[in-house]
Amino acid sequence: MCLGASISLARHVHTLKLLPHNARRARPLPLSFSQPGTVSYAIFRNMTTSVLPQSSVLPLVLSSINLALPSGPFDDPTTTHRASCYASSVPAEEEERLLPMFLHSSLPKSPIGFLRPKVMEKILCDHEQCGKNSMWNVFRRPDDSPWAIAFADHIADFAARSQAMSGLLRAWKDDGFFPDILKGWSNETYPVYTPQRCHPKNHTSSLAFGIERAALPLFGFVNFGCLLTAFYECPITGRTMLWIPRRSLSKNTWPGRYDCTVGGGMGLGETPSDTIIRECTEEASLSSSLVEGNLRSTGILTFMNRSPTKWILPGIYYLYELRLPSDGSIQPRTNIEDGEVDSFGLMSIEEIMRLLINGEFKPSSAMALVDFCIRRGVITPESDPRYLDVCMAMRRPVVLPLP
């Protein structure tokens, strides 16, 4: 008997309890909208319909992928930029303003990030104190109010930008600014990229600079990472069984939540396959040769998220599958030295869906598992009346630079 049969046959098969499509008043999916000289923000595709007899995972998706970034134009000083957040009760026109950040002064059409007012306020304070030695160029309107920033002209290459950002963030951390963000300081350097359509002459790299991982939300920079689902199909029961970890209670983010099998961020200089193989060995004690030989790339997840405290967390995640033997001869195991995972367990898709709906998964991992269910034909146009909206929500456009 396969490992899954010995566990799952002894359990009652849970009835799938998805939130009804009208369980909360749906705010629509994002479509790009802007009127030059007025406001640049994202509006949402209207999803209000009559009551449907079936249930949908759409509320789960929209509570996780809850952000639509401004769509521009970004070179117009009279335009006000705002983000729209599905999970917020605040109307889009009342959301706080965001200021675009450009790589340098000659690229005012392609932002690399978005700043909240309190971050911009701190930058302006530093800018005034440093005078001509400031690392910033502040774009101002005729009334002297700021509308965007870029690196100063003398901060002009990868090394200079990386060094300037490192010095700035360490000073902020030491002085106690933004403690809710910088308390997660990891000493891991993550990449920020140059806008693709604005690469300079003699361009040799798409990297703009490196930055401390914890600081990404301060500037609304894209976080690149990988998420993997390890599974097998039980030959006895026919059920798909997934290896699901519970996050360590010592984690800075989402402690004690369920997760996809393995996940992690892409450090500076890493490729997606480098990242997921490394994470499999560190988090799940799986051999690199096993993972490399059986790894299957399955696409990407655009995870546009705004935290409950309104920090902007745009994410691009490379998705992977790893099929493991059904007899349990190879299975993920916790790595005490790594400390990321409390324990691994086997779960059926029915059990996973129940925990997803109960909000017991880390949001990005929840979306990776929804994507898995779509690929495996568990969530289909016939089973989910909002199937099209679910798929569109998980592929939102990204206006920030990519590799």
Side-chain angles (χ1 to χ4, degrees):
M1 179 177 289
C2 74
L3 184 60
S6 63
I7 295 175
S8 61
L9 286 178
R11 295 177 177 173
H12 177 70
V13 178
H14 296 283
T15 302
L16 199 59
K17 296 181 179 178
L18 305 182
L19 290 178
H21 77 285
N22 60 345
R24 55 185 293 184
R25 191 167 70 88
R27 292 175 68 182
L29 287 173
L31 295 177
S32 297
F33 171 78
S34 63
Q35 294 180 346
T38 55
V39 180
S40 166
Y41 59 91
I43 63 173
F44 291 85
R45 186 170 104 80
N46 192 336
M47 296 185 299
T48 56
T49 63
S50 58
V51 177
L52 297 172
Q54 294 171 284
S55 298
S56 176
V57 296
L58 185 61
L60 168 66
V61 173
L62 292 180
S63 67
S64 300
I65 305 177
N66 58 18
L67 174 71
L69 291 172
S71 58
F74 297 110
D75 58 348
D76 183 356
T78 65
T79 300
T80 299
H81 304 286
R82 306 182 194 272
S84 293
C85 184
Y86 171 80
S88 173
S89 60
V90 178
E93 63 273 12
E94 296 179 17
E95 290 278 7
E96 67 180 1
R97 296 184 179 188
L98 302 175
L99 280 75
M101 176 179 173
F102 304 118
L103 190 60
H104 49 80
S105 301
S106 63
L107 299 177
K109 293 184 178 181
S110 303
I112 61 173
F114 293 99
L115 307 179
R116 297 180 62 188
K118 59 183 177 180
V119 177
M120 189 64 188
E121 182 180 347
K122 176 56 179 164
I123 287 176
L124 290 175
C125 180
D126 293 347
H127 178 69
E128 293 175 2
Q129 291 178 353
C130 294
K132 293 182 179 179
N133 295 321
S134 173
M135 62 182 283
W136 301 113
N137 179 18
V138 179
F139 295 79
R140 295 185 182 273
R141 301 181 179 93
D143 64 1
D144 203 43
S145 63
W147 64 272
I149 67 163
F151 285 105
D153 292 343
H154 66 278
I155 311 292
D157 58 26
F158 176 90
R161 297 181 198 116
S162 300
Q163 183 177 359
M165 290 299 284
S166 177
L168 174 79
L169 292 169
R170 288 188 180 277
W172 284 4
K173 179 177 180 290
D174 292 343
D175 293 340
F177 289 99
F178 311 110
D180 57 328
I181 295 295
L182 297 181
K183 70 179 181 182
W185 195 279
S186 66
N187 290 315
E188 297 175 276
T189 303
Y190 274 34
V192 178
Y193 292 94
T194 301
Q196 288 185 337
R197 65 175 180 272
C198 301
H199 287 162
K201 292 181 180 179
N202 302 320
H203 165 73
T204 58
S205 173
S206 61
L207 289 170
F209 55 92
I211 186 174
E212 157 62 35
R213 174 183 186 175
L216 291 172
L218 292 176
F219 301 89
F221 295 148
V222 177
N223 175 43
F224 295 90
C226 299
L227 300 170
L228 176 143
T229 302
F231 72 101
Y232 65 81
E233 274 128 12
C234 178
I236 305 300
T237 67
R239 301 177 76 185
T240 301
M241 305 297 295
L242 280 65
W243 287 103
I244 300 296
R246 186 186 284 275
R247 293 167 66 84
S248 169
L249 293 174
S250 63
K251 291 282 290 182
N252 289 322
T253 57
W254 309 106
R257 294 286 188 98
Y258 289 107
D259 220 333
C260 60
T261 314
V262 172
M266 289 175 56
L268 183 66
E270 282 193 313
T271 66
S273 59
D274 290 339
T275 299
I276 201 61
I277 292 171
R278 172 179 55 78
E279 293 290 348
C280 280
T281 60
E282 292 177 355
E283 292 186 1
S285 303
L286 294 168
S287 73
S288 58
S289 58
L290 167 79
V291 176
E292 188 173 5
N294 295 276
L295 191 65
R296 178 171 177 262
S297 174
T298 59
I300 64 165
L301 170 68
T302 57
F303 185 70
M304 300 293 104
N305 181 263
R306 198 170 196 178
S307 75
T309 52
K310 290 196 171 183
W311 291 110
I312 294 173
L313 309 169
I316 301 291
Y317 294 104
Y318 296 85
L319 300 179
Y320 291 92
E321 287 181 356
L322 181 65
R323 187 187 294 270
L324 293 178
S326 62
D327 61 3
S329 57
I330 300 175
Q331 56 184 275
R333 301 183 187 277
T334 57
N335 180 351
I336 297 176
E337 293 182 359
D338 180 65
E340 297 281 326
V341 174
D342 179 72
S343 61
F344 282 96
L346 269 179
M347 292 188 188
S348 67
I349 286 181
E350 292 85 359
E351 291 173 301
I352 288 170
M353 291 303 299
R354 177 177 60 84
L355 294 171
L356 285 170
I357 299 303
N358 288 342
E360 297 186 44
F361 274 84
K362 177 185 174 184
S364 58
S365 296
M367 295 302 95
L369 290 168
V370 169
D371 191 90
F372 179 90
C373 290
I374 291 172
R375 296 194 310 270
R376 292 279 153 181
V378 176
I379 299 173
T380 67
E382 291 72 33
S383 69
D384 193 311
R386 311 310 297 273
Y387 180 83
L388 182 60
D389 287 318
V390 168
C391 293
M392 290 175 64
M394 298 179 70
R395 298 293 185 271
R396 293 187 178 176
V398 181
V399 299
L400 299 173
L402 304 177

